[in-house]
C-alpha cells in the first residue's frame, strides 16, 4: 500500500506538458467558431426571419413560432457543415450543474428507411422527465412531465457532434424547475425598473441591461494523486490531511510564473473556450498552491451565466486531457485559501454604464449617485436573502477565515464615494456633486509614466464592493451557479428602483405645487430625486462598511446595525421564505411562494446529502485506511520494544524505549477515540435521518454531524504526523499541492 502511494507521486513528478498545437488563426478569427452567432444567422436564415430573431433578442419581442421551422432549417444546415449528428436541449436544473439529453437528427421516411430532420417543434420544446430532477415536491415520482423551452437570447452552440440549445426548464404545471427561468424574469424586472429611472436623466434611453463578469477560481491536482484520495473523488474536498510545512505563507504563488504543464492546459482550455464564444481575458496563479483563475470580458448576465456553466464543464474535460483534475469545491484543502467566483455586476444602456463616474454635468453625476444608492437600498433591505443566495454546504467552509468575505453582507464604497454620499445627505443643493474620476500619481522615477489612480481602493473583506464602475459580489462560491446570486441581486435592485420611482413621482407633484422649491436653477424632478436620495442614503447606511470585515468588532457592530449575522447554513436558507422576500419575488413576477418553498426544500435536502456523503466517506476511510495503518505501525513499534527488552539491560531499556512506548500509547489513545467518535457520528446521522422535516434534518446535520467530523479529523491529522511516512496510504498535502 505504501509503495503504491510513492509510485503515484513519482509518476506525477515525471509528467511532462502535453503538446498543444497552436491554432492557425488569431483568437479573433476563431472566436465563436462553434456558435450560431448573428453573423451565421444572417448567412443561414432568410432576411425576414433574421430580422424577427434580432427583434426577439434585442427588444424582447415575443417569439413567433411560425418562424421556428425556418430557424431550425438554418441551424440544421450550419450543424451539418460542422459534422453534427445530434441535438439537445441544454438546461440548468437545481443541481448546480447542467443537463442534456441527446437525440439524433433522424426520423422514419415511411419507406423502411430514415431521413435526417430537425423541425421548429423540436427546436422550441422538449420534454425531460421532471420528476428525476430536484423539484422540492413540485413533481412527484409519478408526475414526470416537464418541459424545456428554447431561450433564443442565448446562442446555440456545438459540442463535439451535438447541437446544444440553451433552454429554460419548467414543470407541467408551470413552475420553474431551473435557474434560467427566474433569472430571465429578474433581469426583465430590473431592466424595466432601471429604464424608467434612467429616463429621468435621458429620455432617449430605451433599454437597460445588466452585465456580469465572473472570475472563476479553481485548483488543479494531478489525476493520479486525485485517484488515490477517495475523499477528493467522492466529495470534492479532503476530509483529512495535515498542513504542509510550506503552503501559501511565502506569498510566492499569487501571480507567479505559471508552471509548464498548467500553461499547456490553460492554452488548450482558452482555445476551446474561445471557439465556444466565451471571451477569455485573464489567467493567473491564485494565492494558494495549485490554485488558478480565469476571467472573461463582461457580458449580458444571462449569456455570461450560460458561459460560466459551459466553462466549468469544459474546465473539467480539458483538465483530464492534460492529466489533471480540476477542483471547483470552495474549500478542497484545509488551512489554505479556498476558491470563489467574484461576480462583477453593472447596469448599462445604449448611452453608457449607469454606474460610471464622473459625468460632465450635475445631472449625469446625479444619475450615477441614484443607481449607486438604489443598489445599496436593495442590498440593505435583502442582505439576508443575498447571503442565502450564495450559501451552501461547500461555500460555508470558505466564507470568512481571512480568505474570503465574511458571512455578513455589507458594501464597501471607498473614500471618495462615501464622502460624496455624506455630502449629498447634508449639503446645499447648489453644491452637491463633485465626483472625482481617476487622478494622477507621479512617481519619482523618470522612466516610469504617471499612473491613473481609481476613485476607490479595494477591500477584499467586503462581500459587495464598489470597484469603480461596477459592484463586485465577492462571496459567490466557486462551484455555484451564478444565477442564484444574480436572481436575488437583480430582484432586490429592481424592487428598490420601482419604489424609488414611485416616491420620486409623488415628490415631483409635491415640489411642483410648492412655490418655495422653484429656484429657477433646477427642475422639479431634480429636487424630487435629491429629496428621495437623501432619505435612502440615511436608510441604507447600515449596509455601508469600509472597514475590516474579519474583525470580531464588525460582527458586534453588524448585529447592532440590524444586519443578518446568522452563520448556520440551513438556517440562513430561511431568508428565502421571509415575507419581505416572498412579496418582492411575487410582485416582480420572478417566483411565487410555491416555487420558493420548493427551492428551499431542495436546498435543505442538498445540504443534508452533501454532509451525509462526507460523513460516510470519512467513516469508511477511517476504518479502512487510517486505523489499520496506525495499528500496523503501532504493532511494529511494539515488536521493536519487545526486541529491545531482550537486548538491553533494564537501565538502558527504559532509556531507549521511552519514545516508542509514548508513541504506542498515543496511537492507542487516538485510535480508540476515533473509533468511539465514528460510532457517535453514525448514531448522530441515524438520529438526523429519522427527522421528517428537511429543514430540521439539515439543521441536525449542521449542529450534530459536522462538528463530530471536525473532531475526528483533528485526531487523524495528528496520526498522520505520528505514523511512519512509508506506511501512510493517502497522498499528503505536500504532494497534492506541489506536484505539477
Amino acid at each position: 500500500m505504501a509503495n503504491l502511494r510513492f509510485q503515484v507521486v513519482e509518476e506525477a513528478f515525471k509528467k511532462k506538458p502535453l503538446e498543444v498545437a497552436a491554432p492557425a488563426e488569431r483568437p479573433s478569427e476563431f472566436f465563436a467558431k462553434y456558435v450560431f452567432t448573428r453573423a451565421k444567422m444572417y448567412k443561414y436564415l432568410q432576411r425576414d426571419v433574421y430580422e424577427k430573431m434580432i427583434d426577439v433578442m434585442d427588444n424582447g419581442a415575443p417569439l413567433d413560432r411560425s418562424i421556428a421551422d425556418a430557424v431550425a432549417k438554418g441551424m440544421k444546415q450550419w450543424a451539418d457543415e460542422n459534422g453534427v449528428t445530434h441535438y439537445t436541449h441544454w438546461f440548468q436544473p437545481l443541481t448546480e450543474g447542467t443537463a442534456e439529453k441527446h437525440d439524433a437528427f433522424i426520423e422514419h421516411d415511411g419507406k423502411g428507411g430514415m431521413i435526417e430532420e430537425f423541425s421548429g417543434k423540436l427546436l422550441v420544446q422538449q420534454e425531460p422527465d421532471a420528476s428525476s430532477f430536484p423539484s422540492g415536491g413540485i413533481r412527484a415520482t409519478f408526475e414526470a412531465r416537464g418541459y424545456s423551452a428554447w431561450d433564443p437570447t442565448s446562442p446555440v452552440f456545438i459540442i463535439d457532434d451535438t447541437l446544444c440549445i440553451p433552454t429554460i426548464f419548467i414543470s407541467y404545471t408551470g413552475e420553474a424547475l431551473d435557474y434560467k427561468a427566474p433569472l430571465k424574469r429578474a433581469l426583465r424586472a430590473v431592466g424595466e425598473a432601471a429604464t424608467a429611472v434612467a429616463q429621468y436623466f435621458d429620455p432617449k434611453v430605451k433599454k437597460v441591461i445588466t452585465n456580469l463578469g465572473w472570475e472563476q477560481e479553481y485548483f488543479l491536482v494531478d489525476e493520479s494523486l486525485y485517484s488515490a484520495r477517495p475523499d477528493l473523488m467522492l466529495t470534492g474536498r479532503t476530509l483529512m490531511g495535515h498542513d504542509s510545512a510550506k503552503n501559501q505563507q511565502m506569498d510566492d504563488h499569487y501571480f507567479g510564473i505559471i508552471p509548464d504543464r498548467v500553461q499547456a492546459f490553460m492554452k488548450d482550455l482558452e482555445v476551446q473556450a474561445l471557439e465556444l464564444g466565451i471571451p477569455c481575458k485573464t489567467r493567473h496563479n491564485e494565492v494558494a498552491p495549485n490554485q488558478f483563475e480565469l476571467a472573461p470580458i463582461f457580458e449580458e448576465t444571462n449569456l455570461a451565466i450560460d458561459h460560466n456553466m459551459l466553462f466549468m464543464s469544459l474546465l473539467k474535460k480539458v483538465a483530464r486531457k492534460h492529466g489533471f483534475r480540476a477542483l471547483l469545491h470552495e474549500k478542497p484543502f484545509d488551512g489554505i485559501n479556498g476558491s470563489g467566483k467574484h461576480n462583477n455586476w453593472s447596469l448599462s444602456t445604449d448611452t453608457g454604464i449607469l454606474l460610471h463616474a464622473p459625468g460632465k454635468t450635475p445631472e449625469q453625476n446625479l444619475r450615477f449617485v441614484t443607481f449607486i444608492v438604489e443598489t445599496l437600498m436593495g442590498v440593505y433591505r435583502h442582505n439576508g436573502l443575498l447571503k442565502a443566495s450564495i450559501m451552501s454546504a461547500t461555500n460555508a467552509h470558505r466564507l470568512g477565515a481571512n480568505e474570503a468575505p465574511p458571512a455578513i453582507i455589507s458594501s464597501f464604497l471607498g473614500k471618495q464615494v462615501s464622502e460624496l454620499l455624506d455630502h449629498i445627505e447634508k449639503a446645499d443643493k447648489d453644491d452637491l456633486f463633485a465626483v472625482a474620476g481617476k487622478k494622477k500619481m507621479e512617481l519619482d522615477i523618470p522612466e516610469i509614466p504617471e499612473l491613473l489612480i481609481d476613485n476607490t481602493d479595494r477591500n477584499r473583506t467586503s462581500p459587495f464592493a464598489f470597484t469603480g464602475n461596477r459592484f463586485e459580489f465577492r462571496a459567490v462560491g466557486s462551484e455555484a451557479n451564478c444565477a442564484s446570486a444574480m436572481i436575488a441581486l437583480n430582484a432586490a435592485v429592481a424592487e428598490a428602483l420601482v419604489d424609488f420611482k414611485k416616491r420620486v413621482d409623488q415628490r415631483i407633484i409635491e415640489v411642483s405645487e410648492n412655490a418655495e422649491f422653484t429656484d429657477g436653477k433646477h427642475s422639479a424632478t431634480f429636487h424630487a430625486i435629491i429629496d428621495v436620495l437623501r432619505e435612502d442614503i440615511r436608510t441604507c447606511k447600515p449596509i455601508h462598511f469600509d472597514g475590516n470585515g474579519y474583525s470580531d468588532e464588525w460582527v458586534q457592530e453588524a448585529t447592532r446595525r440590524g444586519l443578518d449575522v446568522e452563520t448556520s447554513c440551513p438556517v440562513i436558507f430561511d431568508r428565502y421564505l421571509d415575507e419581505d422576500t416572498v412579496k418582492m419575488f411575487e410582485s416582480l413576477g420572478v417566483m411565487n411562494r410555491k416555487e420558493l418553498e420548493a427551492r428551499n426544500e431542495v436546498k435543505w435536502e442538498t445540504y443534508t446529502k452533501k454532509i451525509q456523503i462526507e460523513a460516510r466517506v470519512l467513516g469508511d476511510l477511517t476504518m479502512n485506511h487510517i486505523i489499520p495503518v496506525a495499528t500496523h505501525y503501532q504493532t511494529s513499534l511494539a515488536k521493536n520494544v519487545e526486541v529491545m527488552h531482550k537486548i538491553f539491560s533494564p537501565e538502558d531499556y527504559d532509556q531507549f524505549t521511552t519514545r516508542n512506548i509514548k508513541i504506542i500509547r498515543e496511537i492507542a489513545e487516538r485510535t480508540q477515540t476515533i473509533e468511539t467518535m465514528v460510532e457517535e457520528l453514525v448514531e448522530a446521522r441515524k438520529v438526523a435521518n429519522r427527522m421528517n422535516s428537511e429543514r430540521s434534518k439539515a439543521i441536525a446535520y449542521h449542529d450534530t454531524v459536522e462538528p463530530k467530523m471536525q473532531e475526528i479529523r483533528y485526531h487523524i491529522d495528528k496520526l498522520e504526523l505520528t505514523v511512519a511516512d512509508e506506511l501512510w496510504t493517502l497522498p499528503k498535502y505536500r504532494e497534492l499541492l506541489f506536484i505539477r
Side-chain angles (χ1 to χ4, degrees), residues 510-527:
E510 296 171 358
V511 170
S512 300
E513 293 175 348
N514 193 333
E516 67 179 273
F517 288 103
T518 306
D519 58 12
K521 297 180 180 179
H522 301 296
S523 66
T525 299
F526 183 92
H527 283 287

Side-chain angles (χ1 to χ4, degrees), residues 292-424:
F292 307 93
E293 179 181 296
L294 181 140
I297 302 171
F298 72 88
E299 301 176 280
E300 185 275 327
T301 299
N302 179 49
L303 178 59
I305 289 173
D306 281 359
H307 277 165
N308 182 243
M309 299 303 292
L310 180 57
F311 176 79
M312 289 192 288
S313 176
L314 188 65
L315 172 69
K316 295 175 183 177
K317 177 181 176 181
V318 178
R320 294 196 67 177
K321 174 183 172 182
H322 288 259
F324 292 116
R325 284 293 185 130
L327 304 181
L328 291 173
H329 193 291
E330 282 80 5
K331 191 72 169 178
F333 302 103
D334 193 40
I336 62 174
N337 279 18
S339 295
K341 179 154 47 195
H342 301 176
N343 278 210
N344 294 281
W345 173 90
S346 66
L347 294 163
S348 64
T349 74
D350 50 343
T351 63
I353 299 173
L354 294 178
L355 301 179
H356 183 71
K360 297 180 179 179
T361 67
E363 285 73 18
Q364 289 175 332
N365 287 332
L366 178 59
R367 182 192 66 181
F368 163 75
V369 172
T370 296
F371 282 95
I372 289 288
V373 172
E374 294 315 307
T375 298
L376 294 179
M377 283 293 289
V379 174
Y380 169 61
R381 286 172 176 164
H382 296 285
N383 67 94
L385 171 65
L386 289 176
K387 179 162 65 174
S389 75
I390 54 87
M391 186 57 72
S392 67
T394 54
N395 203 23
H397 292 289
R398 163 184 167 259
L399 296 178
N402 294 319
E403 62 181 276
I408 302 172
I409 300 297
S410 64
S411 185
F412 166 85
L413 299 177
K415 181 180 179 182
Q416 293 184 20
V417 177
S418 298
E419 290 179 348
L420 172 64
L421 296 190
D422 288 340
H423 181 63
I424 292 173

Side-chain angles (χ1 to χ4, degrees), residues 175-225:
E175 295 88 2
L177 296 176
D178 68 343
Y179 283 106
K180 182 183 276 283
L183 172 70
K184 289 185 71 65
R185 294 171 188 154
L187 295 178
R188 181 189 62 205
V190 75
E192 291 175 353
T195 299
V197 172
Q199 287 173 347
Y200 282 140
F201 310 100
D202 184 355
K204 293 182 292 185
V205 171
K206 301 301 181 184
K207 181 182 178 181
V208 174
I209 64 170
T210 68
N211 301 310
L212 172 63
W214 43 265
E215 303 170 22
Q216 182 70 60
E217 295 176 347
Y218 60 93
F219 281 86
L220 291 177
V221 174
D222 190 273
E223 185 163 28
S224 56
L225 296 172

Side-chain angles (χ1 to χ4, degrees), residues 120-182:
K121 179 181 177 181
L122 298 176
L123 167 64
V124 170
Q125 180 177 317
Q126 275 193 336
E127 186 183 328
D129 185 347
S131 66
S132 297
F133 292 99
S135 71
I138 287 178
R139 294 272 83 188
T141 302
F142 64 90
E143 297 174 320
R145 196 181 299 276
Y147 300 111
S148 55
W150 176 35
D151 172 15
T153 64
S154 186
V156 169
F157 56 92
I158 294 172
I159 297 287
D160 297 326
D161 65 351
T162 303
L163 185 71
C164 300
I165 305 161
T167 64
I168 64 169
F169 181 39
I170 61 173
S171 74
Y172 176 69
T173 48
E175 295 88 2
L177 296 176
D178 68 343
Y179 283 106
K180 182 183 276 283

Side-chain angles (χ1 to χ4, degrees), residues 13 111 388 514 542 562 591 671 689 734:
F13 266 120
K111 302 174 184 178
N514 193 333
M591 284 185 282
T671 53
N689 291 340
R734 68 170 184 262

Side-chain angles (χ1 to χ4, degrees), residues 40 46 94 168 195 199 226 256 332 368 403 408 464 466 571:
K40 295 185 180 78
Q46 300 170 12
L94 303 178
I168 64 169
T195 299
Q199 287 173 347
Y226 171 89
F368 163 75
E403 62 181 276
I408 302 172
F464 194 77
F466 181 65
V571 176

